């Protein structure tokens, strides 16, 4: 289970070489562990691209993005190229990575996330479940960072909700429910003070 893998990862610590060996095994659990023990400082751009090409399920994608890739110096540079990938889980990686950056990159300026919103709007019509869900989550998470990004994400969601394409419309409508919720608005108001 993921809980057991986290315990194993904690006992190992960072080990870049072992992470690469585990990834090469092609076993699901080994790859999950690899994402948990690799050293973000040693992860190269080429490694990220190589691992992305191997993505074959949403759990590996999300764990790699949330536990490792978003901690690397290459994270922001992967959003645009990965969003153009054809394979479902490789494309999901772009939006799972954006989603994870909204949560973990406390220093990123709003401008980076505004670029992310433009990327979301360009790709929101993707009909594939795992891509569409990651796009939706990235949109919602962007709007949770602060009031200014909430306004921008809400505007993006409204544009998507008004589209004829049913997939883009779903992304927008679903995100609007959370972005405009009184609970989120109250939280963002408290953050201002």
């Amino acid at each position: 289970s993921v809980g057991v893998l986290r315990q194993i990862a904690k006992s190992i610590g960072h080990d870049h070489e072992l992470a690469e060996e585990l990834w090469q095994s092609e076993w699901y659990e080994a790859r999950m562990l690899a994402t948990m023990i690799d050293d973000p400082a040693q992860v190269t751009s080429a490694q990220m691209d190589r691992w992305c090409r191997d993505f074959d399920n949403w759990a590996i994608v999300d764990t790699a993005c949330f536990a490792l890739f978003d901690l690397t110096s290459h994270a922001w540079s992967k959003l645009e190229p990965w969003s153009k990938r054809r394979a479902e889980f490789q494309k999901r990686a772009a939006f799972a990575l954006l989603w994870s950056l909204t949560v973990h990159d406390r220093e990123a300026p709003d401008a980076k996330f505004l670029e992310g919103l433009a990327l979301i709007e360009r790709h929101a019509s993707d009909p594939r479940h795992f891509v569409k869900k990651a796009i939706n989550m990235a949109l919602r998470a962007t709007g949770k960072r602060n009031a200014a990004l909430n306004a921008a994400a809400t505007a993006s969601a409204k544009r998507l909700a008004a589209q004829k394409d049913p997939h883009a419309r779903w992304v927008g409508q679903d995100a609007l429910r959370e972005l405009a919720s009184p609970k989120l608005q109250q939280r963002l108001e408290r953050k201002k003070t």
Side-chain angles (χ1 to χ4, degrees):
S1 70
V2 172
V4 171
L5 289 171
R6 284 193 181 125
Q7 289 174 356
I8 294 169
K10 190 174 181 179
S11 70
I12 294 171
H14 287 305
D15 190 328
H16 180 66
E17 290 179 13
L18 178 57
E20 277 288 6
E21 289 178 37
L22 290 168
W23 190 266
Q24 294 307 318
S25 75
E26 299 184 14
W27 284 90
Y28 171 80
E29 292 83 2
R31 285 186 167 177
M32 289 289 277
L33 184 59
T35 68
M36 297 174 188
I37 67 166
D38 206 342
D39 180 0
Q42 294 185 59
V43 172
T44 65
S45 176
Q47 176 189 341
M48 289 174 72
D49 287 335
R50 186 167 31 82
W51 284 23
C52 182
R53 283 191 298 273
D54 290 339
F55 287 157
D56 59 1
N57 69 79
W58 70 269
I60 291 286
V61 172
D62 291 7
T63 305
C65 290
F66 275 83
L68 179 63
F69 288 171
D70 67 337
L71 301 173
T72 71
S73 60
H74 316 290
W76 285 100
S77 69
K78 297 302 175 186
L79 300 180
E80 179 75 30
W82 287 0
S83 73
K84 296 176 182 174
R85 299 268 176 111
R86 286 200 169 125
E88 182 173 16
F89 295 110
Q90 292 175 25
K91 187 168 183 173
R92 179 186 174 91
F95 299 99
L97 186 54
L98 176 58
W99 174 15
S100 64
L101 288 165
T102 68
V103 177
H104 297 139
D105 191 343
R106 301 282 181 206
E107 305 303 316
D110 286 359
K112 292 271 196 188
F113 296 103
L114 293 174
E115 292 172 14
L117 290 174
L119 200 65
I120 285 167
E121 288 193 54
R122 281 198 303 276
H123 295 278
S125 62
D126 192 300
R128 295 169 295 178
H129 176 75
F130 291 108
V131 175
K132 183 170 58 173
K133 290 289 281 185
I135 289 171
N136 175 265
M137 293 305 296
L139 175 57
R140 291 163 51 193
T142 299
K144 293 179 186 179
R145 276 186 67 91
N146 59 49
L149 285 174
N150 179 267
T154 299
S156 288
K158 285 179 179 177
R159 284 191 293 274
L160 292 171
Q163 288 191 15
K164 290 181 181 178
D165 180 85
H167 309 292
R169 196 168 56 244
W170 176 85
V171 168
Q173 290 172 345
D174 187 70
L176 277 173
R177 279 193 281 281
E178 184 170 13
L179 293 172
S181 73
K183 184 177 177 181
L184 177 58
Q185 294 304 314
Q186 289 169 358
R187 187 173 66 77
L188 293 173
E189 194 60 39
R190 283 194 303 270
K191 275 178 103 173
K192 284 187 204 175
T193 57

